[in-house]
């Protein structure tokens, strides 16, 4: 079935002065109706394995239509590459399609990325989908301490932006194997002597706070090329700050029960604290670090995205906006 053979007319709220088409949950969910449901029960279990709190109804209503839209864009990109090959009369290197996912700390970027990886891998044309988090390009704590910016982890100056741009540039040049440093939330630092290796994927999903940032957000950088220059389609995951703070604290408490009890954890001492004190600490880290970064450096990039997913209570998507 072609994308235009709708048996139903979908009518987004088109606000003439807005550069976006607006969809509420129901109008967006209807957009899935045109594709066969390819997911099997076992795939749904895999999706569930990504995040226990993710409802399968949410996957069907929100993430399947999104995967369908992305698939249309990617197919069109593959056709464009074929035209270039036809024009020059020879095959070129396969160039991965890059999807960028931006948004606040704790909004659910990595969960969204893993979910899209599972759904997009279903399509036979592009099964090999890799993930990269820009966290790996944070400067190690040693460097952040030397520069006196440990309290600014996640801010533009805390990243090795040159290294990150080199990475995406290598991927987009068709380099067959690239590697990136690894960040661990457990040790709260870059993992020494380990790298993530990425071998020529069909699609690379890059998620991070800084995916949509550009030159004006990095006045201290000398170069003028940014991740966003290499991203083919960008998504901003959005939510009101009261939810973000709540999700941040909840995740902190979850870590406290699990990962923090590991003696290697940076936050090992927090595991022993009474819950009320742990909440006070998490709340203060949110207010003094992540909220400031959100308002100064992340939120201003929202309108650069091709698509905005607006979450409400319990991570449920309430609105989807697509750039016209
Ligand atoms: N769609 C969802 N449904 C239910 N819970 C979710 C969903 N997405 C994320 N969460 C929960 O919200 C919290 C934050 O999610 P996640 O770690 O994916 O965020 P993030 O944006 O990648 O954070 P960071 O930038 O700090 O790495 C986690 O506790 C996760 O379990
Ligand atoms: C690693 C980042 C920057 C992004 O994932 C974030 O999770 C973080 O650690 N922010 C610094 C403040 C904090 O500890 O939450």
């Amino acid at each position: 079935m072609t994308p235009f053979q709708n048996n139903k007319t979908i009518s987004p709220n088109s606000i003439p002065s807005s550069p976006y088409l607006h969809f509420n949950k129901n109008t967006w969910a209807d957009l899935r109706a045109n594709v066969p449901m390819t997911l099997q029960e076992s795939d749904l279990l895999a999706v569930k394995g990504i995040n226990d709190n993710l409802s399968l109804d949410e996957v069907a209503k929100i993430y399947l239509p999104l995967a369908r839209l992305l698939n249309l864009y990617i197919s069109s990109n593959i056709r464009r590459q074929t035209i270039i090959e036809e024009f020059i009369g020879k095959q070129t290197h396969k160039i991965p399609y890059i999807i960028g996912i931006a948004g606040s700390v704790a909004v659910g970027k990595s969960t969204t990325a893993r979910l899209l990886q599972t759904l997009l891998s279903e399509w036979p044309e592009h099964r090999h989908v890799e993930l990269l988090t820009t966290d790996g390009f944070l400067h190690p704590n040693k460097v952040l301490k030397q520069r006196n910016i440990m309290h600014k982890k996640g801010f533009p100056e805390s990243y090795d932006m040159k290294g990150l741009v080199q990475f995406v540039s290598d991927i987009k040049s068709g380099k067959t194997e690239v590697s990136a440093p690894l960040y661990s939330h457990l040790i709260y630092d870059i993992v020494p002597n380990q790298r993530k290796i990425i071998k020529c994927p069909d699609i690379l999903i890059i998620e991070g706070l800084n995916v949509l940032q550009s030159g004006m957000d990095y006045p201290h950088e000398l170069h003028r090329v940014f991740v966003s220059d290499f991203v083919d389609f960008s998504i901003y995951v959005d939510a009101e700050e009261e939810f973000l703070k709540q999700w941040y604290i909840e995740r902190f408490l979850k870590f406290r029960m699990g990962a923090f009890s590991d003696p290697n954890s940076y936050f090992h001492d927090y595991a022993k604290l009474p819950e009320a004190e742990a909440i006070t600490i998490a709340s203060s880290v949110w207010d003094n670090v992540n909220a400031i970064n959100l308002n100064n450096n992340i939120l201003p990039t929202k309108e650069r995205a091709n698509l905005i997913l607006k979450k409400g209570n319990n991570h449920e998507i309430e609105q989807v906006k697509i750039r016209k």
Side-chain angles (χ1 to χ4, degrees):
M1 193 182 270
T2 74
F4 305 108
Q5 281 175 282
N6 288 346
N7 47 14
K8 215 169 185 179
T9 308
I10 308 298
S11 43
N13 294 327
S14 189
I15 302 169
S17 58
S18 166
Y20 290 97
L21 293 172
H22 296 59
F23 299 86
N24 65 30
K25 193 162 201 152
N26 292 331
T27 50
W28 179 255
D30 282 343
L31 295 168
R32 190 205 115 192
N34 306 313
V35 269
M37 172 76 170
T38 52
L39 278 185
Q40 309 296 318
E41 197 56 31
S42 55
D43 300 318
L44 289 177
L45 281 177
V47 165
K48 202 72 191 141
I50 290 169
N51 192 317
D52 265 349
N53 300 324
L54 189 64
S55 95
L56 294 184
D57 184 57
E58 183 82 350
V59 175
K61 284 194 170 139
I62 301 292
Y63 297 96
L64 277 181
L66 178 55
R68 175 182 168 236
L69 174 68
L70 289 169
N71 189 47
L72 290 173
Y73 274 115
I74 296 160
S75 302
S76 135
N77 192 266
I78 293 171
R79 282 198 296 274
R80 207 177 51 132
Q81 278 188 32
T82 316
I83 290 171
I84 293 174
E85 288 179 349
E86 205 179 309
F87 180 61
I88 63 171
K90 63 173 183 190
Q91 273 204 320
T92 57
H93 284 294
K94 181 175 75 177
I95 305 293
Y97 189 85
I98 300 192
I99 298 170
I101 304 182
S104 164
V105 167
V107 74
K109 297 178 300 299
S110 50
T111 303
T112 307
R114 279 182 291 143
L115 185 50
L116 287 179
Q117 179 188 34
T118 303
L119 298 178
L120 290 173
S121 306
E122 281 299 303
W123 265 280
E125 303 94 317
H126 45 70
R127 284 196 182 280
H128 182 192
V129 186
E130 288 272 11
L131 294 183
L132 179 88
T133 165
T134 67
D135 289 356
F137 289 91
L138 280 163
H139 289 298
N141 289 352
K142 193 173 149 216
V143 174
L144 297 179
K145 281 177 191 157
Q146 270 163 7
R147 297 184 186 176
N148 202 18
I149 51 169
M150 252 316 256
H151 58 295
K152 290 205 159 178
K153 198 179 264 195
F155 285 57
E157 58 269 42
S158 66
Y159 289 96
D160 168 16
M161 200 26 111
K162 206 160 169 251
L164 175 55
V165 167
Q166 187 60 52
F167 177 94
V168 274
S169 162
D170 285 348
I171 285 267
K172 269 296 185 199
S173 319
K175 222 173 156 180
T176 46
E177 186 175 306
V178 278
S179 75
L182 276 174
Y183 182 79
S184 155
H185 283 278
L186 181 74
I187 61 166
Y188 202 62
D189 202 352
I190 297 295
V191 183
N193 311 318
Q194 258 189 56
R195 294 180 74 87
K196 180 179 171 91
I197 299 190
I198 292 182
K199 285 185 187 164
C200 115
D202 302 307
I203 302 169
L204 177 67
I205 304 178
I206 303 183
E207 62 91 0
L209 315 173
N210 52 357
V211 159
L212 287 167
Q213 289 173 349
S214 69
M216 64 188 103
D217 307 299
Y218 288 77
H220 55 285
E221 296 276 343
L222 293 176
H223 60 103
R224 283 282 166 265
V225 185
F226 292 87
V227 184
S228 48
D229 296 325
F230 300 94
V231 169
D232 295 292
F233 191 88
S234 55
I235 299 170
Y236 186 96
V237 189
D238 191 24
E240 294 301 327
E241 204 186 311
E242 60 175 305
F243 290 124
L244 296 169
K245 183 171 179 175
Q246 179 197 329
W247 299 336
Y248 179 76
I249 294 173
E250 282 168 4
R251 189 180 58 178
F252 191 89
L253 292 178
K254 239 193 285 177
F255 276 162
R256 180 172 155 274
M257 300 303 288
F260 291 176
S261 56
D262 183 329
N264 292 320
S265 165
Y266 185 82
F267 295 112
H268 183 51
D269 289 346
Y270 293 169
K272 298 176 217 140
L273 286 181
E275 182 168 295
E277 272 182 58
I279 292 176
T280 309
I281 290 170
S283 171
S284 143
V285 176
W286 175 268
D287 292 342
N288 296 311
V289 184
N290 296 322
I292 297 172
N293 195 18
L294 171 65
N295 289 306
N296 292 350
N297 303 309
I298 305 168
L299 254 185
T301 68
K302 176 164 76 174
E303 307 291 327
R304 295 179 193 157
N306 297 109
L307 185 141
I308 301 174
L309 291 175
K310 178 81 190 258
K311 285 182 170 183
N313 196 20
N314 205 20
H315 286 272
E316 281 183 25
I317 305 286
E318 290 178 339
Q319 189 188 45
V320 182
K321 294 203 273 179
I322 307 180
R323 193 166 272 290
K324 284 177 190 165

